[in-house]
Amino acid sequence: MPTTTRRVHNFYAGPATMPAEAIARAQSELLDFAGTGMSVMEISHRAKPYMAIQAEAEALVRELLAVPSNYKVLFLQGGASMQFAMVPMNLLPPERHADYVVTGEFAKKALKEAKLLGKTRVAGTGEATNFDRLPSALDLSPDAAYAHITSNNTIFGTQYQAFPETGDVPLVADMSSDIMWRPTDVTRFGLIYAGAQKNLGPSGVTLVIVREDLLERAPENLPSMLAYRTHAKADSMYNTPPTFAIYMLRNVLDWVKGQGGLAEMEARNRRKAEAIYGVIDRHAGFYAGHAQVEDRSMMNVTFRLPGEELEKAFLAGAQEQGFVGLAGHRSVGGCRASIYNAMPLEGALALAEYMEAFARQHG
Ligand code: PMP
């Protein structure tokens, strides 16, 4: 990177910080990709140089998450929000129902779409306590078509540390804001989906990992673009894929691999989260964490200060020191530090230091 380039500590919830190396790699080959004399953006998706990129992106997903061979890896469009509808369209037959665990705004949206399309049940909800914890006991039914969870609640800052047991009922997870934060046993899931714009790359591509036996559940008359089996059969090339977004995803995952893979990501993510939660706990009278301790997210740290004036001063001071994106989501207010895989340890430590100093000065 040119030495004049300035990079802030970027705590946005998504789109979010990406590894500088992944972006610099794109910059270095933007006009001439691998000696083709073309930008990646200008290459036909059916041409070899691009097909190689998409194949590598898929291989990296498979390697990093140890995806078994009976699962398809798909690159789709429409964001995680499109998956809110595609999941029931494909997996929920009219005579059956799906169980939904409602742990935040996105879980509510997922349920809303499913309700439009079929029968649903709420197997647990955290609404009564403003989603500050995950429901402790779930009312899961053994005959559900699938059970849907949100592995990390981006807005409220809660996260499953252990996934619910659903027996033979396929577990479907929206992992948009924590996919690949640590090694994950894919075999526990029937389907995983994630918008790319937190841990995987830029917005514009959505990753879906789906067990092959579930592909055939979709009704015959489901429009082709909405059926997983269409994309599975066509290796995510049924229509023009978002080539540049997939290329960037490749760059990001290649970086993850080079850093030591998901075990290394987990170690770093835990250190980052501990540093920030550590300040919150040491100054418990000043900072109030939104999430109950046992359900705290390692990706999105949500907290309040005593009063809006102090919150404003905290955010203004943070901005001055090069910390960006710390305002909480408009539906909860307060502050939120998103510390995805690409947030360097130094960034989290610098924020912890700022929070410590701010509490000492104003507490
Ligand atoms: N699920 C979760 C957990 C999210 O955090 C988000 C948005 N950031 C979404 C779904 C919606 O994703 P998209 O904007 O890609 O549709």
Side-chain angles (χ1 to χ4, degrees):
M1 255 189 305
T3 47
T4 51
T5 301
R6 188 180 76 99
R7 298 275 292 169
V8 297
H9 296 301
N10 176 354
F11 293 94
Y12 279 131
T17 191
M18 281 201 263
E21 292 87 338
I23 301 172
R25 184 175 176 185
Q27 184 180 38
S28 73
E29 55 194 24
L30 193 62
L31 280 171
D32 177 7
F33 174 73
T36 59
M38 295 174 277
S39 171
V40 178
M41 289 179 278
E42 302 172 297
I43 302 176
S44 163
H45 60 295
R46 311 262 176 217
K48 266 196 193 138
Y50 175 74
M51 302 251 299
I53 292 168
Q54 191 163 312
E56 192 186 338
E58 177 177 342
L60 282 162
V61 171
R62 287 191 175 276
E63 181 181 344
L64 289 167
L65 279 171
V67 178
S69 60
N70 63 325
Y71 284 75
K72 291 286 187 190
V73 172
L74 309 177
F75 297 111
L76 306 183
Q77 299 187 62
S81 302
M82 179 66 103
Q83 294 312 304
F84 296 162
M86 271 178 81
V87 165
M89 279 176 179
N90 283 268
L91 304 183
L92 183 53
E95 70 283 3
R96 300 182 66 185
H97 78 274
D99 280 348
Y100 275 74
V101 185
V102 182
T103 52
E105 291 303 325
F106 295 109
K108 279 207 270 188
K109 285 185 169 170
L111 173 62
K112 180 179 167 216
E113 296 306 293
K115 271 187 181 165
L116 295 171
L117 293 155
K119 287 183 236 159
T120 57
R121 269 180 76 248
V122 173
T125 174
E127 194 136 33
T129 55
N130 198 20
F131 300 116
D132 69 345
R133 69 200 76 176
L134 302 170
S136 52
L138 295 181
D139 173 23
L140 292 162
S141 46
D143 57 345
Y146 62 86
H148 181 282
I149 61 166
T150 313
S151 58
N152 182 72
N153 299 285
T154 324
I155 293 174
F156 297 96
T158 60
Q159 182 182 35
Y160 283 94
Q161 298 305 319
F163 296 112
E165 291 291 342
T166 55
D168 290 337
V169 175
L171 184 58
V172 173
D174 173 1
M175 292 197 185
S176 293
S177 52
D178 71 347
I179 189 157
M180 296 202 192
W181 84 275
R182 66 167 171 184
T184 303
D185 180 5
V186 171
T187 65
R188 290 285 318 277
F189 300 88
L191 188 148
I192 292 168
Y193 63 90
Q197 63 271 22
K198 290 112 162 56
N199 266 349
L200 302 175
S203 58
V205 59
T206 308
L207 176 68
V208 173
I209 303 173
V210 55
R211 215 174 59 209
E212 273 170 357
D213 62 285
L214 296 172
L215 293 172
E216 291 313 321
R217 270 203 199 175
E220 282 303 317
N221 66 348
L222 188 60
S224 311
M225 273 298 283
L226 298 171
Y228 292 123
R229 62 170 167 255
T230 306
H231 301 286
K233 274 186 202 140
D235 289 329
S236 305
M237 295 252 189
Y238 175 72
N239 72 322
T240 316
T243 54
F244 194 71
I246 292 171
Y247 160 79
M248 284 304 302
L249 177 144
R250 189 282 306 260
N251 286 6
V252 170
L253 296 190
D254 197 39
W255 174 85
V256 170
K257 182 182 168 179
Q259 297 296 301
L262 302 194
E264 177 62 23
M265 291 300 118
E266 176 174 12
R268 285 184 201 177
N269 287 331
R270 288 193 185 280
R271 286 186 65 192
K272 289 184 283 181
E274 270 162 26
I276 300 171
Y277 285 121
V279 182
I280 292 174
D281 292 341
R282 271 196 303 283
H283 299 278
F286 187 73
Y287 295 113
H290 179 73
Q292 298 289 301
V293 173
E294 60 280 11
D295 292 331
R296 278 176 169 173
S297 167
M298 300 295 128
M299 298 279 99
N300 310 97
V301 181
T302 49
F303 57 96
R304 302 208 72 117
L305 281 78
E308 268 179 36
E309 283 311 306
L310 273 173
E311 271 168 11
K312 266 193 207 151
F314 175 86
L315 291 171
Q319 188 85 30
E320 259 168 43
Q321 300 202 19
F323 301 109
V324 175
L326 286 168
H329 188 272
R330 58 192 185 281
S331 66
V332 270
C335 303
R336 168 176 56 176
S338 297
I339 47 175
Y340 302 120
N341 285 355
M343 166 59 63
L345 179 61
E346 306 82 70
L349 295 180
L351 176 63
E353 210 173 288
Y354 169 70
M355 288 173 66
E356 181 77 44
F358 194 89
R360 280 178 200 281
Q361 198 186 339
H362 300 273

